[in-house]
Amino acid sequence: MKIDEIVDSLAPWLAKHRRPAWKPVVVEGDGSPTASKFCGTPWIGPDSPWPDCSVCNHPLSLFLQIDLSDLPGELGGRFGTGLLQLFYCTRDDCQGYGGSEPFADDLSRVRVVHPSGPSVAVPRSPRHKHLPAKQIVGWTRFDDLPTPCEHDELGLVYTYNFENGTLRLECQELNFDVTSRMSECPAEEIANSEPGDKLAGWPAWVQGVEYPSCPKCGGRMTHVFQLDSQNNVPFMFGDVGCGHITQCPEHKEVVAFGWACS
Ligand SMILES: [Zn+2]
Ligand SMILES: [Zn+2]
């Protein structure tokens, strides 16, 4: 069976797992302290001071701030309200000392703040100057699909026979069971997640499925935002790593950031 026929046969499975995602539309500039943005100046409150790096103790750089109340209506407010903020240490000396593990709070800090007044004036560290601010002024919708490492769990099971060069592809719910040449049906052509910065959709996992568990309830956290290397933020996570902000669907103040590279 050729890849096109396989994709056609799996249409109901693909439809079931297709999710909307959005690419940010950006303009140069910082915008207001509560604006959705990459880099630039975050909203800072008396109870939510500018966080420092746990390794070098210098102020972290803002990488992303998103106004959760001002997201596409199709999301139905599922991420709650407030400003989601991600900070990260860009100092060369700190790279290699963390940043990739969710909840480690070493080189990164992610949180949801609820602005209650004007932002507290904070002396800007020179560290923040070389990352150009981009305001997020809109979102471009597209359909996203799960990355191959999630297919198994979603009921599309791949059994590779490397000796014969064959792949058995099973989807029980569709009574689909086909064996093809391995080279003719690469998993990423059946369904794959978009790389680059995006809101919602499916994470483009690099190493494997890495949804963290919520420390409060143990539940699986869900994907909120994918921050890729050198996309809107001119920074490289490890060796072209890809980062993900996740959130507990029950505890919307519980957010985590992690990244992985190949
Ligand atoms: Zn640092
Ligand atoms: Zn929870």
Side-chain angles (χ1 to χ4, degrees):
M1 217 178 194
K2 297 268 181 243
I3 182 76
D4 293 354
E5 298 168 82
I6 291 173
V7 169
D8 283 349
S9 308
L10 293 174
W13 182 87
L14 292 165
K16 184 172 159 188
H17 300 296
R18 198 168 279 132
R19 280 183 186 169
W22 290 265
K23 295 264 179 196
V25 179
V26 298
V27 293
E28 277 177 39
D30 199 354
S32 80
T34 55
S36 293
K37 60 180 84 176
F38 292 100
C39 309
T41 314
W43 182 86
I44 296 294
D47 301 324
S48 47
W50 198 309
D52 292 334
C53 173
S54 303
V55 177
C56 69
N57 297 318
H58 284 76
L60 297 170
S61 296
L62 180 75
F63 269 15
L64 177 72
Q65 174 171 283
I66 285 183
D67 183 353
L68 296 175
S69 315
D70 189 24
L71 295 181
E74 198 178 342
L75 284 167
R78 84 165 71 135
F79 299 135
T81 58
L83 297 176
L84 173 65
Q85 299 179 325
L86 171 69
F87 297 85
Y88 205 89
C89 186
T90 57
R91 288 168 65 89
D92 288 344
D93 291 352
C94 285
Q95 305 315 310
Y97 292 92
S100 62
E101 288 298 315
F103 300 116
D105 284 354
D106 37 29
L107 302 195
S108 82
R109 213 62 47 81
V110 61
R111 64 189 184 184
V112 177
V113 297
H114 296 273
S116 48
S119 182
V120 176
V122 190
R124 278 161 62 100
S125 150
R127 275 280 141 198
H128 303 119
K129 282 183 185 155
H130 67 277
L131 294 177
K134 288 180 190 175
Q135 207 185 321
I136 300 172
V137 294
W139 299 98
T140 305
R141 188 193 187 286
F142 66 96
D143 284 332
D144 208 12
L145 284 165
T147 200
C149 61
E150 294 205 66
H151 294 183
D152 260 40
E153 195 183 314
L154 299 167
L156 185 58
V157 179
Y158 298 73
T159 310
Y160 291 94
N161 184 327
F162 291 95
E163 218 162 87
N164 302 336
T166 58
L167 164 63
R168 181 178 179 189
L169 199 55
E170 292 167 277
C171 186
Q172 218 170 33
E173 69 200 59
L174 300 180
N175 286 317
F176 182 84
D177 187 345
V178 158
T179 301
S180 290
R181 302 290 313 159
M182 220 186 267
S183 53
E184 281 173 3
C185 46
E188 56 274 15
E189 285 186 29
I190 294 172
N192 206 359
S193 166
E194 276 286 314
D197 296 346
K198 68 184 174 191
L199 170 70
W202 291 90
W205 299 120
V206 178
Q207 290 284 355
V209 182
E210 294 185 293
Y211 295 106
S213 298
C214 171
K216 284 195 174 173
C217 66
R220 179 186 263 207
M221 292 173 64
T222 54
H223 181 240
V224 179
F225 200 92
Q226 173 169 293
L227 192 68
D228 216 342
S229 280
Q230 305 283 19
N231 192 173
N232 283 290
V233 178
F235 181 79
M236 185 96 93
F237 295 108
D239 184 12
V240 209
C242 188
H244 296 101
I245 298 175
T246 50
Q247 179 187 49
C248 174
E250 299 301 319
H251 304 100
K252 299 196 194 297
E253 75 283 5
V254 177
V255 285
F257 176 74
W259 60 260
C261 60
S262 48

